[in-house]
Every structure is written in C-alpha cells, then in structure tokens.
Amino acid sequence: MISYQEAYKIVIATKTNFGIEEVELLESTGRVLAEDIKADRDFPPFNRSTKDGIAVNSEEIRLHKPIKIEGVCAAGSTQKTLENAENCMEIMTGAVLPQNTDAVIMYEEIDITGDFVTITKPFKKDQNIHKKGSDQKKGEIILRSNTFISAGEIGILATVGKSIVKVQKLPKIAIISTGNELVDINETPLPHQIRMSNSLTLKALLDQRKIESEILHLPDEKDVLEVKIREALNKFDVLLLSGGVSKGKYDFLPEVFEKLKVEKLLHRVAQQPGKPFWFGESKETGTHVFSFPGNPVSTFVNFHLYFRDWLLAGSGIHPQDQKVVLKSAIENLSNLTKFLLVKVENSAGILTAELINGNGSGDLISLSKSSGVIKVNPNSKHSDNKEFTYIHFD
Ligand SMILES: Nc1nc2c(c(=O)[nH]1)N[C@H]1C(S)=C(S)[C@@H](COP(=O)(O)OP(=O)(O)OC[C@H]3O[C@@H](n4cnc5c(N)ncnc54)[C@H](O)[C@@H]3O)O[C@H]1N2
Ligand code: MOO
Ligand SMILES: [Mg+2]
C-alpha cells in the first residue's frame, strides 16, 4: 500500500490539458481563462472626478472668497474647459475633469448662493481626482491566462469589451455507480436496499464546475461491467466510479479494468477514509479512471483530494494549501493519513476548525455538517490549537 503523498503525486503527474474553446462572456463564469487580457485603454481613461462638487484651478482661488460658476460637467459629457481660471465648474462623480482645473471640492465643503460658491474647508491640488492611467496603463496585462473566472473577473472582461472569452476546455465525464443494493432515487427501497446517492453528489460537484457528465448505474455483474465500461472508455475523457473496488466478493472493478487494459497506476492508499481508491489510465482511449471506494464519505473526500486537484493542475492552476487551527488536541497512532471531517469558521481572521463526530465513511449525513477535512499525518500527536492542512469541500 502506498502513502497518500505518493498517491497524490502519481495522480497529479497524469494531469491533462483538454485544449481551449471560446465561450460567451457570461458562460465563462467558473471557467479558467486561456488568454492574457490586456487593458485596451488607460484605466481610468481620463482624469475622473470621484465626488460631486466643483472643479477648480487650485492656484487661482481662495478659501471663503466668492467664485463664479461657469458651467456644469456631467458624467458622459465631453471634456469642457474652464475659461476663466478664477471661476469654477460644477462637476459630477465620473465626469471628465475640465481643462484648466486640478482639484474637486465636494458640495458638502462649499456654500452656493445663486451663481457663486464660497469654499468653507481647506483644499489641496489633485484632491478627489482619479488620475488617468493610475489603475492600469493601456497595453498592460490585467488578467493572466490560467486565472479562475469569478464575478470580479467578469467585470474586468466586460470593461475591456470581451464578449467572447477563450477558456480551458473541460473533460467529458461519465459517473458510474455500481452495486446491486442501489435503487433509483424515485423508488422506495426494500429493507435490504438503499437509494443511490454517490452519483448524484458527484454530478452536483461537476455541475458546479460546469462540467458535462452522464450518470450510469451498473450491477455487480462482471460481463455487464465489462461491456458498459468499455463503451464508456471509448466515449469519455474521465470516468468517476464509486463502489466495487475493495476486497469483497462482488468488488469486480479492478479485475474488469485489467481485462479492458486500463493501466493500473495505483490501488489502495494508506489513508482513511478512501483507502481502496483505484486510479489508472487507458492508453488506448486516453481515458483517466478515478475509481472511488463506495462509502459516501470516501467518494466525496477522494473527489476533492485527487480529482479536483488533477483537474486544476491540467488547467495550469496549482492548488494552494490552506491552513486551519484545530481547537482540540488530537492523535493519529495508525500508519494511515487521516482526513477528519471539520467545520471551519473564521474567528477574528483565524480559520478555526472543529471536529465533526460522524459514524465513519458510511455516514453520509455527517458531510452536510462539515465544510471540509483536515489532514492528520500517520503516527502523530498534537496538542490543542495546532495548525493543519485544510481541504475545503466545494
Ligand atoms: N476486508 C476488507 N473490507 C473492506 C475494506 C478492506 O480494506 N478490507 N475496505 C473498506 C473500506 S475502507 C471501504 S471505503 C469500502 C469500499 O468498498 P467498495 O469500494 O468496494 O464499495 P462497495 O462494496 O460497492 O460499497 C461500500 C458501501 O458503499 C455503499 N455505496 C456504494 N455505492 C454507493 C452509491 N452510489 N450511493 C450510496 N452508497 C453507495 C454501499 O451500499 C456499501 O454500503 O470497503 C470496506 N471493506
Ligand atoms: O477508507 Mo473507507 O473509505 O473508511 O470507508
Ligand atoms: Mg466492496
């Protein structure tokens, strides 16, 4: 049995890039950018007022001395010129600063009587002006390739007029559950049966990442598994399976993969949950096969530990470790890397974890109480308030 670190390396080493495609701007949310985005003009594109008030030439006016209003500058109007430097122009937030002016004074700091204003508070040159090009200069890179696109990036893409965006292509995935005990969610299970849940959980996780997937359920019958998995290998880039990989009499998958010439890269990892994990690759079809142990917590945790990082690595994103502080003392006297369910909260800027008591990897209800897992190394003892690597759930 190999260690978690070795298993992780083996999986990540097979990272795959699925190419590039173009999508409409709003379709790109949640995807990975596949081009550098440059500023198409200076940001801001002109000296911009940041307040509603008056624009003045700070050299030519005095505090408490009446100043004539020459005109009004609205956002969206072309640039005006202050003809007499001893006068002022009313100006609105977002408007172009008129020529011959160098400061903006807020309405709250002036008194207006008819066509005249008096300034009631000291002022300085350049105040309340968002200078042309101060955020970014034309031609500079404002978003780098391999950036994850969330709402903030959508705004940036919109402002440079990217209605079509180049993004990393996503793999096509088959979700395959196995087991004679499983019935469809619309059925009422008999006492010895349960409703299938892993495939739906996996589908939800992929949907969140906009990855297209198909669900397939197979019985614990070697012949059927062989035929259907062969078809899936020919059709999909990735297979995510659950169940049928441990030591049981009906755990046929390792044998079926061998028959179908899917090269085994690892089977069984010194970790808990998720120990019977099987991973391999079909050289013939290029399909990556993640065969997760059937217990719901094992499938869910292994998806995050291995598949998520493999997917990100293929898109050129290197997952960063997150650290959390565990309030309680803990020991792991086994030779397995343990992934313990936790609920993490932000307490005064420190991510603090609390252990969730579950009934092992078959306890699917415990997942909804957890925000992720912490990694506890084999044969280790820790006093309270120690830092651990945290893997958060999607
Ligand atoms: N002798 C040993 N027995 C077991 C070992 C071992 O090392 N030696 N490992 C245990 C561990 S750890 C796990 S995890 C499980 C993994 O088993 P399989 O991958 O073979 O999965 P199944 O036997 O098919 O099912 C296990 C369990 O999970 C439920 N399950 C399966 N698929 C689904 C699904 N789609 N939705 C909901 N629940 C599912 C299934 O009903 C079983 O209860 O093996 C241990 N045994
Ligand atoms: O390793 Mo298993 O995944 O504990 O139930
Ligand atoms: Mg089994």
Side-chain angles (χ1 to χ4, degrees):
M1 199 156 48
I2 60 171
S3 70
Y4 162 68
Q5 278 79 5
E6 288 172 89
Y8 184 84
K9 267 195 207 144
I10 290 171
V11 171
I12 298 301
T14 74
K15 69 183 179 192
T16 304
N17 187 286
F18 294 95
I20 293 172
E21 64 182 340
E22 292 190 323
V23 295
E24 293 205 4
L25 175 60
L26 282 176
E27 288 297 306
S28 73
T29 322
R31 302 288 298 270
V32 176
L33 187 63
E35 58 179 323
D36 285 341
I37 302 293
K38 290 185 178 165
D40 63 334
R41 58 206 296 225
D42 283 345
F43 280 84
F46 46 81
N47 287 332
R48 165 185 173 271
S49 175
T50 66
K51 295 283 167 13
D52 302 314
I54 54 166
V56 296
N57 185 317
S58 61
E59 302 265 295
E60 304 293 332
I61 53 155
R62 298 284 164 270
L63 198 63
H64 305 304
K65 190 182 154 216
I67 305 165
K68 188 163 189 252
I69 301 171
E70 236 183 61
V72 182
C73 305
S77 298
T78 52
Q79 189 183 28
K80 299 197 168 166
T81 302
L82 183 69
E83 299 296 344
N84 180 341
E86 290 176 7
N87 290 345
C88 69
M89 288 254 194
E90 284 187 77
I91 190 162
M92 305 306 132
T93 305
V96 187
L97 195 77
Q99 283 186 36
N100 205 17
T101 64
D102 61 9
V104 171
I105 299 161
M106 292 200 288
Y107 279 127
E108 293 88 324
E109 296 172 359
I110 59 175
D111 289 330
I112 306 187
T113 322
D115 283 348
F116 285 84
V117 304
T118 40
I119 301 169
T120 55
K121 261 191 132 177
F123 54 87
K124 283 198 305 246
K125 183 174 185 281
D126 292 332
Q127 74 176 32
N128 300 325
I129 299 169
H130 189 184
K131 283 281 175 76
K132 178 179 193 284
S134 62
D135 298 349
Q136 211 84 45
K137 291 265 185 277
K138 180 178 175 176
E140 281 178 355
I141 294 176
I142 48 175
L143 283 179
R144 293 215 171 263
S145 192
N146 299 338
T147 300
F148 183 80
I149 304 172
S150 52
E153 283 74 29
I154 292 290
I156 298 171
L157 291 164
T159 204
V160 297
K162 288 292 284 182
S163 53
I164 302 288
V165 184
K166 284 198 177 102
V167 292
Q168 303 274 1
K169 253 192 191 167
L170 297 167
K172 280 201 292 180
I173 298 190
I175 297 169
I176 304 176
S177 58
T178 62
N180 292 345
E181 74 281 21
L182 303 171
V183 298
D184 193 79
I185 56 167
N186 297 313
E187 287 178 38
T188 306
L190 296 170
H192 56 282
Q193 296 175 321
I194 56 165
R195 289 194 189 91
M196 57 183 74
S197 61
N198 287 345
S199 28
L200 285 301
T201 311
L202 290 172
K203 175 110 181 110
L205 288 164
L206 296 179
D207 284 353
Q208 284 177 18
R209 295 184 170 266
K210 295 200 165 159
I211 300 177
E212 276 177 41
S213 60
E214 275 179 37
I215 292 183
L216 187 65
H217 179 69
L218 302 178
D220 294 320
E221 290 168 35
K222 264 192 241 179
D223 298 351
V224 181
L225 288 168
E226 198 182 312
V227 170
K228 294 291 177 190
I229 293 175
R230 176 177 284 119
E231 278 175 22
L233 286 169
N234 283 319
K235 203 170 150 198
F236 295 94
D237 301 309
V238 176
L239 309 188
L240 297 183
L241 297 107
S242 69
V245 281
S246 189
K247 298 264 188 202
K249 278 206 154 151
Y250 308 99
D251 292 336
F252 297 132
L253 286 180
E255 202 181 317
V256 169
F257 295 143
E258 196 181 337
K259 195 127 191 236
L260 295 173
K261 300 203 167 52
V262 184
E263 189 190 335
K264 178 177 86 175
L265 296 175
L266 66 90
H267 187 199
R268 298 170 67 77
V269 184
Q271 69 174 75
Q272 192 186 47
K275 188 166 74 172
F277 176 44
W278 192 103
F279 176 71
E281 201 178 350
S282 162
K283 289 279 181 283
E284 209 177 301
T285 63
T287 311
H288 291 79
V289 178
F290 291 78
S291 201
F292 300 132
N295 276 327
V297 178
S298 309
T299 293
F300 198 68
V301 168
N302 274 349
F303 173 95
H304 291 93
L305 291 181
Y306 297 105
F307 174 76
R308 183 172 65 181
D309 280 9
W310 175 84
L311 184 75
L312 291 176
S315 298
I317 296 182
H318 298 287
Q320 304 282 320
D321 268 1
Q322 220 179 346
K323 299 283 182 196
V324 294
V325 170
L326 183 68
K327 289 181 196 163
S328 44
I330 192 172
E331 58 182 28
N332 173 12
L333 301 180
S334 74
N335 55 5
L336 307 173
T337 301
K338 291 204 176 178
F339 294 97
L340 304 179
L341 293 173
V342 289
K343 177 132 191 105
V344 165
E345 273 166 11
N346 190 332
S347 86
I350 296 171
L351 293 179
T352 314
E354 204 170 314
L355 291 172
I356 299 296
N357 282 322
N359 265 329
S361 57
D363 177 7
L364 129 116
I365 313 294
S366 61
L367 287 178
S368 73
K369 301 174 191 157
S370 321
S371 57
V373 285
I374 53 164
K375 177 164 88 76
V376 187
N377 289 329
N379 304 306
S380 63
K381 271 187 174 183
H382 311 267
S383 51
D384 51 6
N385 292 319
K386 280 276 154 21
E387 209 177 55
F388 289 88
T389 298
Y390 172 57
I391 295 103
H392 69 89
F393 296 146
D394 282 352

